[in-house]
Amino acid sequence: RPGTPQSNHPHALLLAGQHALCELFPGFNQDLAEAGAVLLRGGLDAREELPGYDPFPQRDLGWTTYSMSRPLIELVTRRCVQRLHNVTFRERCRVLEILPDSGGSAVGLRYKTSGGDPEELPADLVVDASGRGALTLAFLEGTGRPQPEQTTVGIDIAYATATFAVPEGKRDWKLVVTYPDMPADSKGGFLFPAEGDRWMVTLAEWHSGLLPEDGDVFLKSVQQLRTNTIYDAIKNATRLGEIRRFGFPESTWRHYEGLTDLPRGLLPIGDAICRFNPIYGQGMSVAAQEARVLRDLLRSRRGEKDPLTGLGRAFIAGVQPVLATAWSASAVPDFLHPQTRGERPENLKQSLRFSAALKQIAAGDPGVHKLMMMVRHLVEPPRALQSPELVQRVAAEMGKAR
């Protein structure tokens, strides 16, 4: 699909995103399962291969998640929205621009129908969920407003994904992630189960050109991963369809919180605000959490005479903790590679040492393992790992590593 070229690759719905979608659409988990999504027991069904831990201990952390293709999760979400009595879909339309009034407020859209005819749609509130946020940026420019400042992290990550029929055999995992030993090695491997008894297998490499689309070359590249787990799983499996490729140059955070003049009637959301390195699987979950923030704001303003006054600023402020948590979880490991572009955090070396010591503790302590994974799944903020007792244990472990 031209609008979502990454849809052919694995997507993760983190626990926080799952919670948000279940709150927005009660019964969402059941809908996923009935549509064929693969149930995963958190910590137990995933084999994580990290340098020094092949694998990291597999243990039941007490929750369930699901693995599925992106088209499946979009289908289930779309069906949930279709059940809402006050929602109408205008299908096969492309929005051309957001329309301003004489005062610079957003008052509607101009879009092209499936037949190619331009039409206009008046609106009290426009929510821009387009992937790059170009519509909102063009609206700001057209109404004489400044562009938001940006923070970028250049990663030039490339993917290649092949889908396989799941072969017969017993395994103690349903999902495999093989992390590279950066900076010496920058290629990782991912095997995700999907509906229809399939595996989606992805090669990803930081600071790389396009990865192989030839089947034999793809297999040889998988064989070059740090471990043989994924290669051994697929070497005799039947590949389904062609190999898909995708490139992602940089993560981008647009700081709308720094704008003093946010347009009335217009809200960016999801990737239109912040595009994360997709390898960490944060995008869908952050968008779902932002949707929940917006729902709560609109509910709280129902009785007001003018509920749109100040809505933009309140929304942007409300999503900052969500964005900051996800950004910190991805930006720090991306800077392990010396070619990564962007301003390195001042405490980068200390953060990396803290993370390494935390993993060492978590490998032997199920409680710390669960807490670490709750932070990774965006359920808990990073400060949850800063309790005095845990910081003391991490400091002692860091001392051993010197």
Side-chain angles (χ1 to χ4, degrees):
R1 296 176 295 161
T4 53
Q6 72 276 36
S7 65
N8 297 302
H9 304 273
H11 281 63
L13 182 61
L14 301 180
L15 195 59
Q18 181 177 303
H19 288 170
L21 284 165
C22 286
E23 190 175 326
L24 291 166
F25 305 115
F28 184 81
N29 275 358
Q30 183 178 348
D31 291 341
L32 275 182
E34 290 176 354
V38 179
L39 186 144
L40 300 174
R41 194 65 185 168
L44 186 63
D45 289 333
R47 179 183 173 97
E48 284 196 284
E49 299 178 335
L50 299 95
Y53 310 92
D54 290 325
F56 203 79
Q58 291 172 244
R59 50 171 72 103
D60 194 334
L61 299 178
W63 67 74
T64 56
T65 56
Y66 293 87
S67 183
M68 63 266 128
S69 69
R70 172 165 170 161
L72 182 75
I73 194 170
E74 289 184 350
L75 175 64
V76 171
T77 306
R78 183 183 182 88
R79 286 173 175 170
C80 290
V81 176
Q82 285 175 323
R83 296 176 195 147
L84 302 176
H85 71 279
N86 59 342
V87 173
T88 300
F89 284 88
R90 299 197 179 204
E91 298 179 329
R92 301 186 182 279
C93 299
R94 179 176 294 276
V95 177
L96 303 174
E97 63 177 319
I98 301 168
L99 301 175
D101 65 8
S102 58
S105 297
V107 292
L109 302 171
R110 179 177 291 113
Y111 64 94
K112 184 183 292 186
T113 67
S114 58
D117 300 319
E119 293 188 8
E120 292 188 1
L121 177 68
D124 297 311
L125 177 63
V126 176
V127 180
D128 179 6
S130 58
R132 298 179 184 271
L135 293 165
T136 293
L137 297 177
F139 186 89
L140 293 175
E141 182 178 3
T143 55
R145 294 177 168 94
Q147 300 286 294
E149 293 185 3
Q150 293 187 169
T151 299
T152 59
V153 177
I155 51 177
D156 300 316
I157 198 166
Y159 301 13
T161 295
T163 302
F164 296 87
V166 177
E168 293 183 0
K170 292 185 177 180
R171 306 164 190 91
D172 66 350
W173 49 260
K174 294 181 181 179
L175 180 153
V176 182
V177 179
T178 303
Y179 293 95
D181 189 6
M182 292 223 270
D185 174 25
S186 59
K187 186 181 292 182
F190 305 82
L191 184 157
F192 279 53
E195 67 280 1
D197 204 25
R198 297 176 298 155
W199 281 340
M200 300 182 74
V201 177
T202 294
L203 282 172
E205 187 168 4
W206 282 253
H207 304 286
S208 170
L210 286 176
L211 292 176
E213 59 182 343
D214 175 82
D216 292 337
V217 178
F218 180 88
L219 273 178
K220 289 179 181 177
S221 297
V222 172
Q223 194 174 17
Q224 294 166 4
L225 289 171
R226 202 174 47 76
T227 76
N228 290 327
T229 305
I230 297 178
Y231 175 75
D232 288 341
I234 66 171
K235 61 184 179 183
N236 297 317
T238 300
R239 180 161 57 87
L240 308 172
E242 60 186 290
I243 293 171
R244 306 284 188 159
R245 300 188 295 174
F246 178 65
F248 185 89
E250 62 186 17
S251 303
T252 304
W253 184 354
R254 295 191 177 98
H255 296 287
Y256 284 97
E257 72 277 12
L259 296 183
T260 57
D261 183 19
L262 288 169
R264 174 187 169 86
L266 175 59
L267 290 178
I269 198 170
D271 281 6
I273 302 177
C274 194
R275 298 182 76 210
F276 301 93
N277 180 347
I279 215 70
Y280 302 107
Q282 300 166 322
M284 293 194 302
S285 296
V286 167
Q289 289 177 292
E290 291 174 344
R292 184 170 57 186
V293 169
L294 179 55
R295 179 206 61 181
D296 292 345
L297 277 172
L298 292 172
R299 279 182 173 176
S300 70
R301 291 164 169 258
R302 274 189 297 203
E304 297 182 13
K305 184 177 180 181
D306 185 1
L308 296 184
T309 298
L311 176 65
R313 186 158 300 283
F315 173 72
I316 294 298
V319 301
Q320 290 308 299
V322 176
L323 297 174
T325 295
W327 187 267
S328 65
S330 60
V332 169
D334 279 341
F335 278 115
L336 274 168
H337 201 291
Q339 288 181 251
T340 297
R341 304 182 303 279
E343 185 177 350
R344 281 167 161 70
E346 293 182 3
N347 62 341
L348 176 62
K349 188 175 291 187
Q350 180 72 5
S351 295
L352 294 174
R353 290 184 65 224
F354 185 96
S355 178
L358 180 68
K359 288 174 188 172
Q360 184 67 39
I361 295 171
D365 186 328
V368 176
H369 185 187
K370 180 175 182 177
L371 181 60
M372 184 177 73
M373 293 299 291
M374 294 284 275
V375 172
R376 188 191 298 180
H377 277 259
L378 308 181
V379 175
E380 295 286 350
R383 66 175 179 272
L385 299 172
Q386 298 293 329
S387 68
E389 179 187 358
L390 184 54
V391 168
Q392 188 174 15
R393 290 177 66 185
V394 171
E397 190 64 41
M398 289 166 64
K400 295 178 188 177
R402 286 183 178 177

